[in-house]
C-alpha cells in the first residue's frame, strides 16, 4: 500500500503483520480504521490479517468493505475472489476475479484466476478468452500456458492446443501433466503413436493418477492394443475405484471385444461401494444400450433408490420400461423425471417418446414443444416435435420434413489423380478396413451386426480419408449454395452464410456384415448429417431389392405404431454416392443377407 506513513497506525500495523505479530497488528489496524473510517486501506489490511489466520469469511467481509469504499482496487478484488473460493462460492469468486481484470487489464494473475474458475464452472468460452489474455501477459508462465492449452483442447482448437503445450514444455520439460495433456491432444488429432509416447513420458516422470491411465487406455485402444488398454483402465480403477469414465469405457471395450461378462467390473464396483449410485447408473445406461431392458430397469431402480432426486435415473428407467412395452409404467417414470428436471430438453424428449409409444400423442407433443423451447437446436427434440405433428395430423410435419427439399443424393467426383470413383473407393475401402479392429459395434451406437471406427475419422492423417473429406466438403458447400433460407425453420433457418461457413463436428466409418442394419435414429451432434457409400453388397443393388437401403422418416417407435409412420423415401447404397439430410430427420437401414460388407463413411456438420 504505497503512500502510507511508516509512523501511522496503518503503517505500524502492516509492519507488525509482516513480522508475524498478528495480535499487535490487529490492534493497530483497528486503530487505523477508527482514525480513517472512510479510507479503503485499513479494511483491506484487516482482510489480509484475517486471511493469514485462515478466517475466510471475516477476510471476505473486510475486503468487501474496502471495495465499497473504493472499487478501483484490483489487488483487493483478487484477494476477495480467493476468499470467496475458500468459502466455496465459485461463481461469486469468478466475478471478483473478473472485476480485478477489468480494473487492471494488465494484471495477468487476475485473468488466470478468472479463466481457471470459469473453466470449473463450465463456461469454457469465457474461460478461453480470459486464458488467452493471461497468456498474452505472461507468455513465460508454464501454469498459464497449461491452462490455456486445456481450454483450447476442450474447445476443440486442437492444433492451437498442441502449439501451446509445446511452448509450455520448453519452459517446464519435466512437468508430467504437460506430457499427459499433450498425449490427449495428439490422441484427438489421430496421431496415436505420438500420443502413446507422450503418455509414456508422463508415466516415466511419475504421473500415476486415474485420469492419466484412463487416457493411456484410450490411446492403446485406438492403436488396437486392446489387452494393454484393458490393463490401463483397470489400473485407473485401482487408483480410483469409482472413476466413471474408466468403468464405462472398460465395459464398452469388453463389449466390442465380444466378452460376455462385459459388465463384470461394474458389478464388482457396485458390490464394493453399495452406497454409490455411480455403478448402477452406468450399468443401467450400458444395459439399455445393449437392449437388455429388464436388467437396465433393475439397475436404474437401484440408482434411483440411492439418488431419488436425479432425473437421469427416472429417465433411464422410463426408457427401459418403454422398451419392455410396459408403457403405463414408463410414462409414470418419465412424468417423475420431468417433475425433477422440467427444463431439461433430453428428459422432455425422452418422455415425449414414451408418451407417443403409449398412445398419448397430444401429451407427448406438449413435452416435445417444451423441449424445443428449452433447446431450439436440439436435434432429438426437433425430431420428436415432427413425430408428434405426424401423429396428430398437423400439416407442419410436411413443412419440417420436406424430403424432396431437405434430402440430397449426390455423386461424388473422384479426387485428383484417380481415373474414376470406383478405383478410388476400392483403395479407400482397404484404408478404412484396417481401422475396423473390433468384434462388435460400440454398445452406444445404432449398428447391429457390424463395427464402427473410433474417434473422429476426418482427424486421422490418412491420405485417402483426407482426399474424401476434401471432395465431400466441396459437394456440401455446392449443395448448400442452392438452398434457400427460411427463417424459423430448424434446418433452412440455419443455413450458413456464405455457404462454406460450416465445419465437421464428428466423422466415422461403419462396416456392416450379413444381417446388419442401423436402427432408426437421428444425429444429436449435427445440423446436417450424411452417409457416403464406399462399398455395397451385391444383394443391395439387385433389381427389385431394397436390402441395405437407407430409409428416411420412419421414427424410433415400437410396432404397431411405427407402421402408421412409414418411411417417406428410400435410397440405394450406390458406391460413390453421398446422401445429405437434416440431423433431426429419422433414418435407418434395412437388413441385407450377403457375404460382402456394406462400408460407409458418415459425419455431422454444423454452421460456424
Amino acid at each position: 500500500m504505497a503512500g502510507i506513513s511508516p509512523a501511522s497506525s496503518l503503517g505500524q500495523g502492516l509492519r507488525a503483520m509482516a513480522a508475524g505479530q498478528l495480535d499487535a497488528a490487529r490492534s493497530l489496524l483497528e486503530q487505523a480504521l477508527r482514525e480513517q473510517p472512510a479510507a479503503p486501506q485499513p479494511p483491506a489490511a484487516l482482510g489480509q490479517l484475517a486471511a493469514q489466520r485462515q478466517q475466510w469469511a471475516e477476510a471476505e467481509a473486510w475486503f468487501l468493505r474496502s471495495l465499497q469504499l473504493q472499487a478501483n482496487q484490483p489487488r483487493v478484488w483478487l484477494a476477495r475472489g480467493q476468499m470467496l473460493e475458500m468459502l466455496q462460492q465459485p461463481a461469486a469468486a469468478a466475478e471478483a476475479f473478473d472485476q480485478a481484470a477489468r480494473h487492471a487489464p494488465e494484471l495477468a494473475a487476475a485473468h488466470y484466476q478468472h479463466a481457471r474458475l470459469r473453466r470449473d464452472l463450465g463456461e469454457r468460452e469465457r474461460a478461453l478468452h480470459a486464458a488467452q489474455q493471461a497468456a498474452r501477459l505472461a507468455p513465460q508462465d508454464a501454469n498459464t500456458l497449461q491452462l490455456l492449452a486445456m481450454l483450447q483442447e476442450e474447445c476443440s482448437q486442437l492444433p492451437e492446443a498442441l502449439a501451446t503445450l509445446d511452448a509450455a514444455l520448453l519452459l517446464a520439460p519435466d512437468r508430467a501433466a504437460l506430457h499427459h495433456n499433450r498425449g490427449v491432444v495428439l490422441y484427438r488429432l489421430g496421431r496415436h503413436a505420438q500420443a502413446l509416447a507422450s503418455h509414456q513420458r508422463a508415466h516415466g516422470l511419475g504421473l500415476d493418477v486415474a485420469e492419466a491411465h484412463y487416457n493411456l487406455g484410450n490411446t492403446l485402444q485406438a492403436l488396437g492394443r486392446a489387452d494393454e488398454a484393458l490393463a490401463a483402465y483397470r489400473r485407473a480403477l485401482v487408483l480410483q475405484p469409482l472413476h466413471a469414465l474408466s468403468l464405462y469405457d472398460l465395459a464398452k471395450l469388453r463389449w466390442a471385444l465380444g466378452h460376455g461378462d462385459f459388465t463384470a467390473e461394474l458389478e464388482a464396483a457396485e458390490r464394493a461401494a453399495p452406497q454409490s449410485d455411480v455403478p448402477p447408473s452406468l450399468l443401467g445406461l450400458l444395459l439399455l444400450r445393449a437392449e437388455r431392458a429388464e436388467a437396465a430397469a433393475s439397475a436404474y431402480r437401484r440408482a434411483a433408490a440411492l439418488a431419488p432426486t436425479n432425473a437421469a435415473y427416472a429417465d433411464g428407467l422410463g426408457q427401459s420400461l418403454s422398451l419392455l412395452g410396459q408403457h403405463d409404467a414408463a410414462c409414470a417414470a418419465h412424468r417423475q423425471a420431468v417433475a425433477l428436471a422440467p427444463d431439461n430438453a433430453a428428459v422432455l424428449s425422452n418422455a415425449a417418446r414414451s408418451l407417443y409409444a403409449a398412445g398419448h400423442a397430444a401429451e407427448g407433443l406438449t413435452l416435445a414443444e417444451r423441449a424445443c423451447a428449452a433447446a431450439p437446436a436440439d436435434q432429438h427434440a426437433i425430431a420428436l416435435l415432427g413425430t408428434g405433428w405426424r401423429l396428430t395430423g398437423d400439416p407442419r410435419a410436411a413443412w419440417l420434413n420436406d424430403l424432396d427439399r431437405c434430402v440430397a443424393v449426390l455423386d461424388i467426383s473422384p479426387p485428383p489423380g484417380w481415373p474414376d470413383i470406383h478405383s478410388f473407393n476400392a483403395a479407400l475401402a482397404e484404408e478404412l478396413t484396417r481401422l475396423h479392429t473390433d468384434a462388435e459395434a460400440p454398445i452406444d451406437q445404432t449398428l447391429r451386426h457390424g463395427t464402427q471406427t473410433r474417434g473422429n475419422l476426418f482427424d486421422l492423417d490418412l491420405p485417402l480419408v483426407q482426399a474424401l473429406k476434401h471432395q465431400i466438403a466441396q459437394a456440401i458447400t455446392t449443395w448448400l449454395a442452392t438452398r434457400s433460407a427460411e427463417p424459423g425453420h430448424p434446418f433452412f433457418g440455419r443455413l450458413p452464410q456464405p455457404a462454406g461457413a460450416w465445419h465437421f463436428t464428428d466423422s466415422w466409418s461403419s462396416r456392416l456384415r450379413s444381417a446388419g442394419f442401423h436402427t432408426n435414429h437421428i444425429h444429436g451432434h449435427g445440423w446436417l448429417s450424411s452417409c457416403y457409400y464406399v462399398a455395397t453388397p451385391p444383394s443391395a443393388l439387385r433389381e427389385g431389392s431394397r436390402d441395405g437401403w437407407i430409409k428416411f422418416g420412419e421414427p424410433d417407435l415400437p410396432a404397431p405404431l411405427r407402421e402408421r409412420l412409414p418411411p417417406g423415401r428410400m435410397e440405394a447404397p450406390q458406391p460413390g454416392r453421398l446422401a445429405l439430410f437434416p440431423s433431426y430427420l429419422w433414418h435407418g437401414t434395412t437388413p441385407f443377407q450377403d457375404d460382402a460388407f456394406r462400408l460407409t463413411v458418415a459425419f455431422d456438420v454444423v454452421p460456424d
Side-chain angles (χ1 to χ4, degrees), residues 459-478:
D459 282 345
L460 300 183
D461 188 18
L462 297 172
L464 301 184
V465 166
Q466 291 304 314
L468 176 66
K469 177 182 178 181
H470 181 265
Q471 298 303 102
I472 284 175
Q474 287 186 325
I476 292 172
T477 298
T478 300

Side-chain angles (χ1 to χ4, degrees), residues 76-96:
V76 179
W77 279 113
L78 195 63
R80 182 174 182 241
Q82 293 166 343
M83 297 304 99
L84 287 165
E85 188 171 5
M86 296 300 297
L87 293 168
Q88 299 184 4
Q89 298 180 42
E95 288 298 322

Side-chain angles (χ1 to χ4, degrees), residues 327-389:
H327 298 306
D328 290 343
C331 290
H334 266 129
R335 289 185 180 108
Q336 180 186 4
V338 170
L340 291 169
D343 299 317
N344 185 295
V347 167
L348 291 164
S349 298
N350 291 331
R353 186 204 174 277
S354 284
L355 287 161
Y356 292 157
H360 305 306
E363 186 182 356
L365 177 56
T366 297
L367 293 187
E369 289 169 342
R370 285 173 55 184
C372 286
D378 187 291
Q379 301 299 296
H380 192 212
I382 297 168
L384 287 161
L385 178 67
T387 302
W389 284 342

Side-chain angles (χ1 to χ4, degrees), residues 105-449:
E106 300 306 306
L107 183 59
H111 292 288
Y112 173 82
Q113 298 292 356
H114 185 216
R116 182 180 56 80
L117 268 193
R118 290 295 176 197
R119 177 176 180 263
D120 291 346
L121 291 166
E123 301 175 29
R124 289 177 179 168
E125 292 298 331
R126 290 189 70 180
L128 177 60
H129 176 73
Q132 288 168 336
Q133 296 303 310
R136 177 182 62 83
L137 295 165
Q140 299 300 307
D141 184 80
N143 292 333
T144 297
L145 294 181
Q146 183 173 2
L147 177 60
L148 174 60
M150 291 165 68
L151 284 160
Q152 288 169 327
E153 185 264 329
E154 290 166 3
C155 293
S156 294
Q157 297 181 6
L158 302 182
E160 294 85 350
L162 185 59
T164 302
L165 285 167
D166 287 343
L169 281 164
L170 291 174
L171 300 169
D174 293 329
R175 182 177 293 186
L178 288 173
H179 289 280
H180 167 260
N181 293 351
R182 190 171 188 270
V184 171
V185 172
L186 288 165
Y187 166 79
R188 290 192 59 192
L189 286 169
R191 294 158 60 177
H192 300 133
Q194 293 172 274
L196 178 60
S198 288
H199 284 305
Q200 290 173 332
R201 174 67 172 148
H203 181 75
L205 288 167
L207 190 64
D208 189 26
V209 297
E211 193 72 12
H213 291 282
Y214 167 73
N215 285 312
L216 173 61
N218 290 343
T219 299
L220 289 164
Q221 187 179 165
L223 288 166
R225 295 161 64 170
D227 289 342
E228 293 172 83
L230 293 172
Y233 292 139
R234 287 171 175 143
R235 173 59 184 165
L237 292 172
V238 168
L239 296 169
Q240 191 176 330
L242 294 179
H243 190 266
L245 287 173
S246 294
L247 284 167
Y248 186 75
D249 283 353
L250 173 60
K252 279 180 60 179
L253 176 56
R254 295 194 65 208
W255 164 275
L257 293 171
H259 294 183
D261 63 339
F262 71 99
T263 60
E265 284 83 2
L266 272 168
E267 292 164 359
E270 185 173 7
R271 290 192 297 271
Q275 78 288 352
S276 172
D277 58 312
V278 171
S281 68
L282 293 175
L283 268 170
L285 180 58
L286 285 160
L287 292 166
L288 179 61
R289 298 293 179 261
E291 298 181 336
R292 301 181 184 181
E294 190 168 347
S298 177
Y300 275 124
R301 285 192 178 100
R302 298 195 302 274
L306 292 165
T309 61
N310 192 319
Y313 303 160
D315 180 24
L317 177 60
Q319 292 181 67
S320 303
L321 293 170
S322 184
L323 190 60
L324 286 167
Q326 299 177 20
H327 298 306
D328 290 343
C331 290
H334 266 129
R335 289 185 180 108
Q336 180 186 4
V338 170
L340 291 169
D343 299 317
N344 185 295
V347 167
L348 291 164
S349 298
N350 291 331
R353 186 204 174 277
S354 284
L355 287 161
Y356 292 157
H360 305 306
E363 186 182 356
L365 177 56
T366 297
L367 293 187
E369 289 169 342
R370 285 173 55 184
C372 286
D378 187 291
Q379 301 299 296
H380 192 212
I382 297 168
L384 287 161
L385 178 67
T387 302
W389 284 342
R390 290 180 72 186
L391 287 169
T392 58
D394 193 310
R396 288 177 291 180
W399 166 79
L400 178 66
N401 295 321
D402 184 339
L403 300 183
D404 291 332
R405 191 161 67 116
C406 66
V407 175
V409 178
L410 311 173
D411 290 320
I412 297 298
S413 301
W418 291 89
D420 54 61
I421 198 65
H422 302 294
S423 58
F424 171 73
N425 278 341
L428 175 64
E430 293 183 11
E431 190 171 82
L432 292 173
T433 297
R434 288 192 289 271
L435 302 175
H436 287 271
T437 57
D438 291 336
E440 296 293 339
I443 196 170
D444 50 2
Q445 297 300 323
T446 66
L447 288 79
R448 301 295 181 267
H449 309 295

